[in-house]
Amino acid sequence: MNKRVSTLLIALLMGIFFQRVLAQNDSVPILNTLKIEVRADLFYEHPMLQQLDGNIQHLDNNFGFNGRYFNIIVGGNISQHFSYYFRQRVVANPGSVSFFDNTDFLWINYKINDRWSLRLGKDAMTVGGFEYDAPPIDVLFSTFYWDNYYCFQLMGSASYTTKDEKSKLTLQISSSPYVHYGSTFKNSLLAYNFQWFGSYGPFRGSYSIGLFQRDKTHYMCYLAIGNKLVFKKWDIYFDFIHRANSTHQIMRDFSLIACANYYFNENISIFIKGSYEQNKDLDEYNYFLATGEYWDCLAIPGQIYASAGIGFEYRPKKCTDVRIHGFLTNYFIRNDFEGNDQGYLPNETVYKPTINLGVTWYIDFMKYINKKVK
C-alpha cells in the first residue's frame, strides 16, 4: 500500500480512538469532523471540429471510467477559541505534484469573539461566486475558468460577522494564483481579496474584489458577483466574473455562469447549467503571439468558451451517504482572432458533447461514532 495512504489511515484510526475517549468528557471536542469522500465517473465524449467552411471533422472519442476524487477530511476544536480543518486529496502517483499541493485545506482559526476571527494556513482564496464556493466533488461539470483556477493557497485572513449574522466581511492576503501550486513561493507573488457574503431571506450574495500579482509590477484585477435565490423546492444562481489586466480589458475578459436546481424531494433533483466565457482583449492577444505568455491565467486570449447541460442527482433512501449523478452537456471552444495558434486553425470551433454517469460516497465516520457513543 502507498506509504502516504497508510499514514493517513493510521491517523484516522488514532482520531477515532481519541474521539471516543474525549466523548466521555465535557471538554471541547478535538475531533468533530472525520470523513472520506470518493467519486468515480463513467463518461463518453465525442469531440468535433467545425471548420470555417462549415465542414465538421469527427475527432477521436474519449470514454471510460475516471476516478475523480478521493478526499480525507478532518476538523475539530483545539480550545474554545481555536479550531482547525484539514482536507487532503489522495493521489496514487503524484508525479511532479507534491503531497502538499494536493492539500486543499490546512488552517487554524482563532475566534476572537462573536464578531471577529482570524485564520492562518492553506485555504481557498476568498472570492465571490457560487460555482466557486461549491466543494469540487459537487461540481459535476465546470467552466473553463474554474478548471484553471489554482484557488487553494497559503494565506492569512480576518473576518467580521455582523450582529444579526446575516453578513460576513473577509479581508485576505494569500499567494497569487499565478504561483499555481501552493507549496512554492515562486517569485513571491501575492493576492489581495475583499469579500462580502450575505444571507437575507431567500437571497444569498457572494461578492468580491481582488488584485492578483502576475509578476513584480503587474496585477490582474478580479471582480466576482454571485447572486442566488434559495427556496424549498428550487434554487438558482447567477455568477459574473470579470478579469482585467488593463483598462483596455473592461468587458472584454469575463465569465457568466447560471445554474438552477429543482428538488422533487430529499432524494432526487434535476439541474440545468450554462456558461459563456471569453478573453477578447487584443493587447493581451498580441502579447501572447509575441511571447507565448498569458496575462490572464484563467482564460486563453483570443478564445470563447460556452457550455450548456442538464443532469440529475439521486440519493437512495436507504443509503443517503451515496449519490448517483448523471448529466448530458455540450461544450465548445472557438478561436476568435486570426493567427491564434492553439492547435486548431483560425476561427474554427471544437465541440465536445459529453454523457456522464457517476457515483459519490460520503463516508461520515463521526455520525456512526456518535451513534455508538450514545
Side-chain angles (χ1 to χ4, degrees):
M1 182 182 292
N2 185 287
K3 185 176 180 180
R4 290 172 177 170
V5 176
S6 301
T7 302
L8 288 168
L9 291 176
I10 292 171
L12 288 175
L13 292 173
M14 291 178 64
I16 293 172
F17 171 77
F18 285 115
Q19 173 65 15
R20 297 197 66 172
V21 173
L22 291 170
Q24 301 173 14
N25 302 320
D26 295 327
S27 60
V28 175
I30 194 171
L31 183 67
N32 55 29
T33 301
L34 183 58
K35 297 179 181 179
I36 289 179
E37 301 175 333
V38 183
R39 174 180 157 189
D41 293 2
L42 171 63
F43 72 99
Y44 174 83
E45 182 181 80
H46 182 72
M48 297 176 288
L49 174 63
Q50 183 176 9
Q51 299 171 338
L52 187 60
D53 58 8
N55 291 329
I56 294 179
Q57 177 185 354
H58 295 271
L59 305 177
D60 292 338
N61 295 333
N62 298 311
F63 57 89
F65 292 96
N66 184 15
R68 294 294 302 276
Y69 295 96
F70 182 5
N71 301 329
I72 295 177
I73 302 172
V74 180
N77 301 285
I78 302 173
S79 68
Q80 293 289 346
H81 292 279
F82 285 94
S83 60
Y84 69 95
Y85 191 76
F86 167 68
R87 187 175 81 192
Q88 179 72 34
R89 282 171 289 143
V90 180
V91 289
N93 184 19
S96 61
V97 180
S98 75
F99 183 77
F100 193 57
D101 288 328
N102 282 317
T103 302
D104 295 336
F105 299 104
L106 183 57
W107 50 252
I108 186 167
N109 191 83
Y110 174 52
K111 185 178 180 181
I112 301 173
N113 51 44
D114 290 340
R115 305 277 77 83
W116 290 94
S117 64
L118 302 175
R119 184 175 295 180
L120 183 66
K122 193 173 184 186
D123 197 359
M125 296 177 65
T126 52
V127 301
F130 286 95
E131 181 191 42
Y132 176 87
D133 281 345
I137 199 169
D138 294 333
V139 179
L140 300 183
F141 69 91
S142 53
T143 55
F144 187 88
Y145 100 92
W146 190 95
D147 290 336
N148 292 278
Y149 203 144
Y150 294 89
C151 66
F152 299 110
Q153 300 290 346
L154 297 169
M155 59 85 219
S157 62
S159 296
Y160 173 77
T161 302
T162 56
K163 189 175 181 179
D164 59 9
E165 298 186 346
K166 292 183 177 181
S167 288
K168 183 179 181 180
L169 303 173
T170 301
L171 180 64
Q172 183 189 78
I173 301 176
S174 70
S175 296
S176 170
Y178 286 83
V179 171
H180 291 190
Y181 294 114
S183 61
T184 175
F185 292 94
K186 178 183 176 183
N187 298 326
S188 301
L189 302 180
L190 297 176
Y192 308 89
N193 288 297
F194 180 73
Q195 182 193 36
W196 167 78
F197 183 86
S199 178
Y200 294 85
F203 172 75
R204 309 287 188 272
S206 181
Y207 301 173
S208 72
I209 186 168
L211 290 173
F212 305 162
Q213 274 189 305
R214 59 183 177 88
D215 57 41
K216 288 297 186 180
T217 57
H218 296 93
Y219 290 82
M220 178 175 77
C221 181
Y222 186 95
L223 174 68
I225 299 174
N227 297 288
K228 187 174 185 178
L229 293 173
V230 179
F231 296 95
K232 183 177 180 180
K233 283 287 188 178
W234 61 276
D235 60 58
I236 185 170
Y237 72 75
F238 297 93
D239 289 342
F240 172 67
I241 314 295
H242 188 276
R243 303 169 293 269
N245 289 275
S246 69
T247 56
H248 295 162
Q249 282 187 297
I250 295 176
M251 294 308 297
R252 304 286 293 174
D253 185 3
F254 62 84
S255 301
L256 290 169
I257 307 103
C259 182
N261 297 278
Y262 181 79
Y263 305 93
F264 293 96
N265 50 50
E266 295 179 352
N267 304 101
I268 188 166
S269 63
I270 59 174
F271 67 90
I272 56 173
K273 183 177 179 180
S275 68
Y276 174 84
E277 305 172 81
Q278 68 172 39
N279 184 355
K280 298 177 69 174
D281 179 67
L282 187 57
D283 291 342
E284 181 183 355
Y285 177 69
N286 290 330
Y287 178 83
F288 166 71
L289 292 180
T291 65
E293 298 179 1
Y294 304 142
W295 290 353
D296 183 351
C297 63
L298 305 176
I300 298 172
Q303 290 195 341
I304 292 174
Y305 322 92
S307 65
I310 184 170
F312 74 91
E313 295 185 22
Y314 170 67
R315 294 175 182 266
K317 289 183 178 180
K318 294 184 178 180
C319 188
T320 57
D321 292 339
V322 172
R323 179 189 65 189
I324 299 169
H325 76 259
F327 63 81
L328 173 65
T329 183
N330 196 5
Y331 176 81
F332 80 74
I333 305 173
R334 184 172 76 238
N335 298 321
D336 201 54
F337 292 131
E338 291 290 340
N340 187 3
D341 184 12
Q342 289 295 316
Y344 313 116
L345 295 176
N347 293 332
E348 293 185 333
T349 304
V350 174
Y351 294 89
K352 296 182 179 180
T354 302
I355 300 174
N356 183 291
L357 290 172
V359 60
T360 308
W361 188 13
Y362 303 90
I363 311 170
D364 188 344
F365 290 101
M366 296 309 303
K367 180 172 68 174
Y368 300 105
I369 293 170
N370 290 332
K371 286 183 179 179
K372 292 293 184 180
V373 171
K374 290 180 180 179

